Amino acid sequence: MHSKVIRQREINFCLPPLWLLSLSLPSWKFAVARSPPHRYAVGVQADGRLMRADVGPDAVEQEYAVQSSSSVDGWNLDIEGRQATANDAVLTEPVEVAEAVAPTLSRETESLVSTADSTPVVFNSDSDPCKLVRRAYEIGTDEVCPEQCPFWAEVKTHEWHGSERRVTSFCNFRCVNSHDCGKAEGLNPDASVADEKKMICRHCDVSACETCVKHEDECYTCFSGYDLVNGKCLSKFRHLHWIPLVLVSALLVYFLAWYLDLLCRPVTNEEGVQDGLRLRSLSKLRMPKTRHGTVPEALPQPPQPDAQALSTMQNGASNAAGVDAAAAPTESEDQDTRPLWPLSTNLLREPVAGPGTVLHFRYQIAIIVWAVALFLFWATVAGTHDRRLFEVGTQKATTPRDLCHAVHEGYQIQRNTLWIKVLFLLLAYIASMFGFFLFAKLQLQCYQTLDNHTTMKDFMALVVGLPRLQGQQPVESILKELLARESGQEVVGVSVCWDFRDHEETVMQALEESIAQTEAATQQPQQGSEAATQVQPQGQPQGLRWKIFGPWDQLFLDADAFPANNGSGSSSDAAVEGGNGTAEQGGGVVDMPRGAPDEAKALEELVHGLCSTNCAFAVFKTEEARDAAIQVFDEKQGANFNGKRIKLQKVDAEPDTVCWQHFSIEPWRVPKRLFVGVLIVLVLLVVWTVLFYLPYASFVFSFSYQDGAEPGNFMSYLLSFVTVGGNLFMYAVCAAVSEQVGFRFGDEREACYMVLYTAAVLLNISLDMAVTAIVSYRTMVGRGAHTFGGKLISELPTYDSVFESYPMQKALGNQLYCYCWPSCFFTPFFLEPVFALQLPFHLGKLVLRSHSGVRGRAAERTLTSFMVMDTGRYADVVINMSLTALILFFPSGYLWKTLLALIFSHIYIYFYDHYRVLRCVPGFNYSSATIDKCALRILAVPLGLVVVALIIKRNKDTCDYGSHCLKGKYLWFLCFDVFCVHLLVHWILLDFVMPRFVHSSVQRSDHTFEEVAEEIPCNWFSTNPIYCLRSRVFYKHNPPCVYYVRGKEHLMRKNPEAFVHFEDKEAKPEDFS
């Protein structure tokens, strides 16, 4: 004998005592069904047979030992009025018994009880094998029928409930010959086709077919909305399907013809291509001067003007002394003073584009570590307890017998191991929360360490509360004297924020013309002469070729590539030719181009007519002086200036992240504009849904799904198009909205974009999942799928019962996994370098080389990188994490696959972004931790999905064992409440608790502003558009402060009066040959 302890609801016996029972039953396990008015003792033999006995009204919970014996003497199991024997081969009323017992069966006991069968079936091993009816779980997966009846056919019984006929028996199969498919008694009449490949009787393979021709893959009658054509059911709207196909084909042919035309065009503008390639290379992230050991003093220095020259400058004279640009520098011409960062740069430590870049790449590594930890944890748990967890839910079910096998086996595995998944989810949630808060602490410490590096923000304080001042006044000098007097500290200068939003286009055009003139003036004399004789500005091309392919060319050419007046010269040409305007070599005073005195006067009037905003950037000589000045102003609660109380604030920003045009927007208007922007995003999302999702959903609802038929590949491609198009549409909308909100600093704008884009894409994914769930549900209904308890999917009363039914769990898990891999995790990022980087670059070169008149700035814009760096990658990471969290709601067989896919994809994304940052995108700067803080807050979404999955699975586990559990709307309300509470707790801990565990270690810089400005070209003056115009028009500095453009730093000339201390030769561009 052997014994085994089982936890059960057992009997308070009035029958034979427990020890007698244990001696009388051969290898049986027992449970008690609480189904008034009778209670049953249910025995399951080792071979899977089920017995029951009426044991009376009393039952209590207790733990007992069941021993095995070889006989049933002394124990009466009353089955249909007779005594059961050990050799009995009858299963009686299994559904009624099993449904009554199901809430109380143990995991091990229930694995031997099939509740997927309903009608009593008597087995007789001596009967004809072609008449033997067997349950699906008793048939081997590779078992075949005998030759005389080689096809498996499902035996179904039906009952009428009113006017509705319902199936009452499932998963019973017998072997038949081809002629008996759909004919023999008890067989499914719809499965009349003998499939010689799968060796089954099936429904005809015709979509949307209501009635099939017997034994043929032809349809007799179709569902409404379909036409019967040659035995097939074709949609009445099938001709409309050709419209998008024809349009896409025509567009593709048009594109290929244009591309071939580009290849065949003569090369007439190689110099323009070189101009564009040079700036494309120079605008990438480059190492600072000190990294390469360049000595700033070795560069040619402009002679300082004497007193007479200064007097002449103040009177508006334009003939001041310049610098001989042709003078040879003392250092080697071959030495690159600011090379590209090497590809071996460790972006986890080196702030090549500000501290935020390091935080960004650390964030990506953290997600990979999280996925690896979950994978290893799950592999250990599943491998230790039950290796079938790696496969549950992934079994293929192409036939009714396969589906019965999958439901029977998968449900038992999933239910018997549900406690393992609940425990895994609990530990995963706790570990993830702890791990990510530890990561947030490390991120803050990392940022504080990187912030100790000396940069421009260490010398700046934001002045707020200023009155509006007119541009004809020396506002910068007035404020400099005031701040120095009130703070007692040395102030280098003040960069005022001006209200120029209404004139932004005019201001930026004037700055670009000034840069073009300066660049033309610094060219070698012979180069300038050749450029003047060779470059002839052209108007828009004419002819048939341009009429046919011109729209494609204009997609890549700059908008100003073709001047409106064919004969007018460009600003750079005028600067080279001379005339009324002058361009001093070496960065001297540069006037407006020849023939434009009215424009110069208008620009001067514009500068004088501007008004300042209430903000300005005060630049102090040292960081210590800045901090002392802020402390003095705090103690004095500000200082009076023209009836206003001005104050100083410390701001976490760098000069090239300032949005100068937005300082005219009052801070209190930003939340209102943000609210309007969110409404715009929601409205456009609704519009996209109505125009694209609803037509698709309409088709999904109208499809028949008879016998498991699914929409064809065309509809799958259409859904992919709608999904990808929706994401790209939201990408553009969120970028435009975040730009128009009016944030004053680039990091705030990027953080807003990331949040909006993440929310929009998550809503888009929700729509995708809803459509996918509808397709899966209706497919299961069409197949006649049923639960483990024998109920049809279509008869389940609540959404949660449908969602938790194993067939739906299996189908949704498979759909979600296919949605994740490779569609979301890998494909977009694999195609991105081709279609967003290389293809636009290649086409831009081909277009530019065939237009001889496109030179200078127009050529540079044509080859500007198509994709700039943005915070969309944060959104991609959070979205992929959320999809991984969603897989936890479904069978465990997809979990390890999804985690492996996530790990592989994000390792690829990390290295791709590493290369993209260092070699592909224009330079950028994430100067603060604002973006990373928002990204850490958004992590609450995937972690919240984990805790919701924990609640649902725990509730399911409780329901399965007859304890109190929630159903229907009460369960969903609980999940929503817990998710919201999780978000609130996550954000409170992140914003208020975690910072208390991080000790600030601020170190003041020992450098002065002038020393740092010699190494960094962009400062608080060179990035201010209005100050650069005032330097030339109002203050008439010689040389003036040149507006900072990444890639054109070599145009800047040192002039302390204009607060310009940087000077360097042109960096060495890449070789694109």
Side-chain angles (χ1 to χ4, degrees):
M1 294 186 184
H2 62 272
S3 62
K4 193 170 187 177
V5 177
I6 302 176
R7 179 77 176 176
Q8 288 294 353
R9 300 177 186 271
E10 193 38 68
I11 307 162
N12 189 359
F13 279 99
C14 298
L15 293 174
L18 184 61
W19 64 270
L20 181 58
L21 173 68
S22 65
L23 295 175
S24 60
L25 297 178
S27 302
W28 287 18
K29 302 179 178 66
F30 289 89
V32 175
R34 303 206 170 199
S35 178
H38 299 289
R39 286 167 172 74
Y40 303 103
V42 180
V44 184
Q45 286 186 316
D47 59 1
R49 290 179 292 163
L50 177 66
M51 300 296 181
R52 79 171 188 176
D54 190 341
V55 298
D58 299 323
V60 296
E61 282 192 62
Q62 64 182 18
E63 190 174 273
Y64 67 95
V66 177
Q67 297 180 337
S68 64
S69 179
S70 60
S71 68
V72 292
D73 297 336
W75 179 255
N76 292 326
L77 289 178
D78 185 23
I79 299 179
E80 296 183 349
R82 65 179 178 81
Q83 182 176 353
T85 66
N87 297 323
D88 211 318
V90 178
L91 295 180
T92 303
E93 300 178 2
V95 163
E96 296 178 7
V97 175
E99 286 184 349
V101 175
T104 59
L105 288 176
S106 71
R107 301 178 189 277
E108 183 175 3
T109 302
E110 190 188 17
S111 67
L112 299 175
V113 182
S114 172
T115 59
D117 310 290
S118 51
T119 303
V121 178
V122 178
F123 296 139
N124 184 355
S125 59
D126 296 330
S127 61
D128 185 358
C130 293
K131 295 181 180 180
L132 179 64
V133 179
R134 304 170 63 188
R135 292 175 177 82
Y137 67 87
E138 296 177 341
I139 304 173
T141 55
D142 298 328
E143 185 174 347
V144 296
C145 288
E147 294 182 1
Q148 61 270 30
C149 46
F151 298 95
W152 288 107
E154 185 173 11
V155 179
K156 287 188 177 182
T157 59
H158 301 79
E159 291 182 0
W160 287 95
H161 295 263
S163 60
E164 182 182 359
R165 190 180 72 162
R166 296 183 181 177
V167 180
T168 58
S169 176
F170 304 95
C171 293
N172 298 318
F173 293 87
R174 56 173 287 197
C175 295
V176 298
N177 56 43
S178 60
H179 299 291
D180 289 335
C181 285
K183 286 184 178 181
E185 183 180 358
L187 299 185
N188 182 6
D190 296 328
S192 62
V193 178
D195 191 327
E196 296 184 357
K197 292 184 178 179
K198 298 180 180 179
M199 302 307 294
I200 62 172
C201 296
R202 58 169 173 81
H203 188 275
C204 64
D205 190 14
V206 180
S207 298
C209 181
E210 183 175 15
T211 306
C212 298
V213 176
K214 292 297 183 180
H215 308 297
E216 299 292 340
D217 275 327
E218 294 184 10
C219 188
Y220 184 74
T221 59
C222 298
F223 283 99
S224 176
Y226 294 85
D227 295 329
L228 182 62
V229 180
N230 298 327
K232 304 295 182 182
C233 294
L234 304 180
S235 172
K236 292 182 180 296
F237 307 101
R238 59 187 177 275
H239 300 296
L240 298 179
H241 296 170
W242 289 96
I243 295 178
L245 182 61
V246 170
L247 292 177
V248 172
S249 299
L251 185 63
L252 181 60
V253 170
Y254 185 20
F255 172 79
L256 291 176
W258 171 68
Y259 181 71
L260 292 175
D261 179 70
L262 285 179
L263 296 177
C264 296
R265 293 179 189 178
V267 178
T268 60
N269 190 22
E270 187 62 36
E271 293 184 8
V273 173
Q274 294 303 318
D275 290 342
L277 292 177
R278 183 175 63 254
L279 182 64
R280 183 185 178 95
S281 176
L282 295 179
S283 61
K284 296 177 183 179
L285 289 172
R286 291 181 171 268
M287 300 174 68
K289 290 167 57 177
T290 52
R291 298 273 180 176
H292 204 71
T294 304
V295 182
E297 288 75 14
L299 298 173
Q301 301 291 325
Q304 299 297 326
D306 55 15
Q308 182 178 0
L310 288 174
S311 176
T312 305
M313 277 179 7
Q314 297 296 332
N315 293 331
S318 60
N319 295 324
V323 178
D324 185 5
T330 57
E331 61 181 83
S332 173
E333 294 289 347
D334 295 333
Q335 184 180 6
D336 191 0
T337 60
R338 286 176 289 114
L340 293 169
W341 287 91
L343 291 176
S344 59
T345 303
N346 185 1
L347 297 184
L348 299 175
R349 294 180 177 273
E350 193 68 54
V352 298
T357 312
V358 175
L359 301 181
H360 172 77
F361 281 94
R362 287 166 58 93
Y363 190 92
Q364 291 198 37
I365 290 295
I367 303 308
I368 297 174
V369 171
W370 175 77
V372 170
L374 282 187
F375 174 77
L376 294 177
F377 182 31
W378 177 247
T380 302
V381 171
T384 303
H385 291 82
D386 195 337
R387 293 182 180 273
R388 294 177 299 174
L389 287 170
F390 293 119
E391 301 177 357
V392 62
T394 62
Q395 304 95 330
K396 293 183 179 181
T398 58
T399 67
R401 186 162 59 95
D402 293 339
L403 182 60
C404 289
H405 266 293
V407 171
H408 182 268
E409 182 181 0
Y411 175 83
Q412 291 177 337
I413 297 174
Q414 184 173 355
R415 188 176 185 280
N416 296 339
T417 59
L418 192 56
W419 68 274
I420 299 177
K421 190 165 187 178
V422 170
L423 180 61
F424 168 77
L425 288 172
L426 176 63
L427 296 179
Y429 174 71
I430 295 174
S432 297
M433 288 287 290
F434 177 79
F436 279 115
F437 281 112
L438 176 61
F439 172 66
K441 177 177 179 290
L442 296 176
Q443 288 286 84
L444 183 57
Q445 291 176 339
C446 176
Y447 174 74
Q448 290 180 350
T449 301
L450 295 172
D451 194 45
N452 288 328
H453 296 179
T454 303
T455 59
M456 282 295 169
K457 68 180 177 182
D458 295 327
F459 308 99
M460 176 273 296
L462 181 65
V463 185
V464 296
L466 290 172
R468 293 181 68 86
L469 303 174
Q470 297 298 320
Q472 64 266 27
Q473 299 176 326
V475 178
E476 292 83 358
S477 300
I478 295 173
L479 291 177
K480 175 182 177 181
E481 294 176 2
L482 171 69
L483 295 175
R485 182 175 66 252
E486 294 291 339
S487 65
Q489 303 296 326
E490 183 176 356
V491 180
V492 175
V494 177
S495 182
V496 178
C497 302
W498 297 89
D499 183 1
F500 68 100
R501 290 186 71 238
D502 296 337
H503 310 282
E504 183 178 356
E505 184 176 354
T506 303
V507 169
M508 299 312 296
Q509 183 178 0
L511 290 173
E512 288 189 2
E513 291 178 352
S514 176
I515 292 173
Q517 296 164 27
T518 304
E519 187 171 22
T522 56
Q523 300 293 326
Q524 296 292 344
Q526 61 274 17
Q527 293 177 347
S529 176
E530 292 174 1
T533 57
Q534 293 179 4
V535 179
Q536 298 297 329
Q538 298 178 355
Q540 182 170 297
Q542 303 296 326
L544 181 61
R545 172 182 286 178
W546 177 257
K547 291 180 180 179
I548 297 176
F549 300 120
W552 282 98
D553 286 26
Q554 290 179 325
L555 289 176
F556 294 89
L557 292 173
D558 182 63
D560 299 328
F562 306 115
N565 295 324
N566 194 18
S568 62
S570 66
S571 58
S572 59
D573 296 332
V576 174
E577 292 173 5
N580 292 340
T582 61
E584 294 288 343
Q585 290 185 354
V589 177
V590 181
D591 260 345
M592 296 298 293
R594 176 180 59 85
D598 294 338
E599 294 182 11
K601 185 177 181 181
L603 180 61
E604 185 174 356
E605 292 177 354
L606 172 63
V607 171
H608 290 172
L610 292 176
C611 294
S612 66
T613 65
N614 63 344
C615 296
F617 291 95
V619 181
F620 294 83
K621 188 175 184 63
T622 63
E623 184 178 4
E624 184 179 2
R626 189 273 310 268
D627 294 341
I630 293 177
Q631 182 177 358
V632 169
F633 269 70
D634 289 343
E635 294 173 353
K636 296 168 59 176
Q637 296 184 351
N640 289 323
F641 178 62
N642 289 359
K644 296 284 186 178
R645 197 73 177 173
I646 64 174
K647 297 181 179 180
L648 296 182
Q649 298 177 354
K650 186 183 295 186
V651 178
D652 198 5
E654 295 291 345
D656 50 351
T657 65
V658 178
C659 303
W660 298 90
Q661 69 277 18
H662 290 159
F663 275 85
S664 57
I665 302 174
E666 296 293 336
W668 61 271
R669 294 183 181 273
V670 173
K672 179 181 178 181
R673 295 167 69 94
L674 178 59
F675 177 75
V676 173
V678 172
L679 290 181
I680 292 174
V681 172
L682 292 177
V683 169
L684 292 178
L685 184 61
V686 171
V687 171
W688 180 268
T689 302
V690 171
L691 294 180
F692 295 96
Y693 269 108
L694 286 187
Y696 180 84
S698 176
F699 174 82
V700 167
F701 276 109
S702 65
F703 195 77
S704 66
Y705 299 95
Q706 180 67 23
D707 201 47
E710 299 184 40
N713 293 331
F714 175 79
M715 300 308 297
S716 300
Y717 296 146
L718 184 59
L719 178 60
S720 300
F721 167 77
V722 172
T723 302
V724 174
N727 291 344
L728 292 177
F729 179 66
M730 286 295 104
Y731 175 91
V733 169
C734 294
V737 167
S738 59
E739 179 65 33
Q740 295 300 318
V741 168
F743 292 106
R744 294 181 170 182
F745 301 99
D747 285 18
E748 296 175 349
R749 180 193 64 226
E750 291 296 320
C752 174
Y753 161 74
M754 176 188 62
V755 174
L756 289 178
Y757 181 62
T758 303
V761 173
L762 287 177
L763 289 176
N764 214 354
I765 289 176
S766 300
L767 292 174
D768 299 340
M769 293 295 102
V771 173
T772 301
I774 293 170
V775 173
S776 299
Y777 173 75
R778 302 201 64 179
T779 302
M780 291 293 103
V781 171
R783 287 182 177 178
H786 51 80
T787 66
F788 185 75
K791 286 187 177 181
L792 288 172
I793 297 294
S794 58
E795 296 177 354
L796 296 177
T798 60
Y799 289 115
D800 57 296
S801 60
V802 172
F803 179 78
E804 284 296 333
S805 63
Y806 183 78
M808 282 298 296
Q809 285 273 300
K810 181 180 182 301
L812 290 176
N814 180 67
Q815 292 289 340
L816 180 58
Y817 174 71
C818 294
Y819 185 88
C820 293
W821 175 261
S823 300
C824 285
F825 286 2
F826 185 71
T827 302
F829 311 105
F830 181 76
L831 297 178
E832 181 179 300
V834 177
F835 291 98
L837 293 176
Q838 295 303 321
L839 183 60
F841 175 54
H842 173 66
L843 295 176
K845 286 197 300 181
L846 294 179
V847 171
L848 182 58
R849 73 178 190 176
S850 63
H851 291 274
S852 60
V854 183
R855 300 284 182 85
R857 186 59 177 158
E860 293 169 350
R861 285 178 172 177
T862 299
L863 292 187
T864 300
S865 295
F866 183 77
M867 174 175 286
V868 298
M869 189 65 182
D870 57 39
T871 54
R873 189 66 77 234
Y874 276 112
D876 295 330
V877 170
V878 173
I879 290 166
N880 288 350
M881 281 189 65
S882 300
L883 290 172
T884 303
L886 286 177
I887 211 74
L888 297 171
F889 290 82
F890 303 108
S892 306
Y894 295 104
L895 178 56
W896 69 273
K897 293 183 178 181
T898 306
L899 289 172
L900 275 183
L902 183 71
I903 294 168
F904 171 79
S905 300
H906 280 272
I907 290 176
Y908 164 80
I909 292 171
Y910 176 84
F911 285 106
Y912 163 60
D913 280 349
H914 180 98
Y915 181 81
R916 182 168 69 114
V917 166
L918 296 179
R919 289 296 182 270
C920 297
V921 299
F924 62 97
N925 191 355
Y926 293 160
S927 61
S928 70
T930 302
I931 302 171
D932 188 73
K933 288 180 179 178
C934 287
L936 290 173
R937 294 188 185 100
I938 296 178
L939 282 180
V941 174
L943 295 183
L945 293 175
V946 174
V947 73
V948 170
L950 171 62
I951 292 174
I952 291 179
K953 294 304 177 184
R954 176 55 184 159
N955 186 75
K956 172 66 175 174
D957 192 35
T958 304
C959 288
D960 286 345
Y961 286 92
S963 301
H964 174 72
C965 60
L966 298 177
K967 295 183 178 180
K969 62 182 181 180
Y970 301 103
L971 175 61
W972 301 116
F973 285 157
L974 175 64
C975 292
F976 178 77
D977 292 342
V978 170
F979 183 80
C980 293
V981 170
H982 163 80
L983 295 182
L984 182 62
V985 172
H986 183 102
W987 293 337
I988 290 176
L989 293 176
L990 191 63
D991 291 339
F992 300 101
V993 177
M994 185 272 298
R996 297 180 179 272
F997 295 92
V998 179
H999 302 288
S1000 178
S1001 57
V1002 178
Q1003 300 178 1
R1004 287 198 178 103
S1005 173
D1006 296 331
H1007 299 281
T1008 64
F1009 170 79
E1010 291 81 0
E1011 293 173 347
V1012 177
E1014 288 180 352
E1015 302 173 359
I1016 301 177
C1018 63
N1019 60 37
W1020 301 104
F1021 303 96
S1022 61
T1023 57
N1024 187 338
I1026 302 302
Y1027 177 80
C1028 292
L1029 290 181
R1030 289 173 64 83
S1031 173
R1032 177 161 61 93
V1033 175
F1034 184 83
Y1035 291 106
K1036 301 188 183 301
H1037 292 135
N1038 182 29
C1041 180
V1042 176
Y1043 183 65
Y1044 171 75
V1045 175
R1046 195 177 292 272
K1048 294 183 179 292
E1049 299 90 345
H1050 58 281
L1051 300 179
M1052 303 178 70
R1053 291 296 178 263
K1054 186 173 183 179
N1055 185 359
E1057 278 193 1
F1059 310 113
V1060 180
H1061 300 271
F1062 179 88
E1063 190 167 17
D1064 195 8
K1065 68 177 183 179
E1066 181 178 329
K1068 186 178 181 180
E1070 299 170 271
D1071 184 6
F1072 289 94
S1073 59

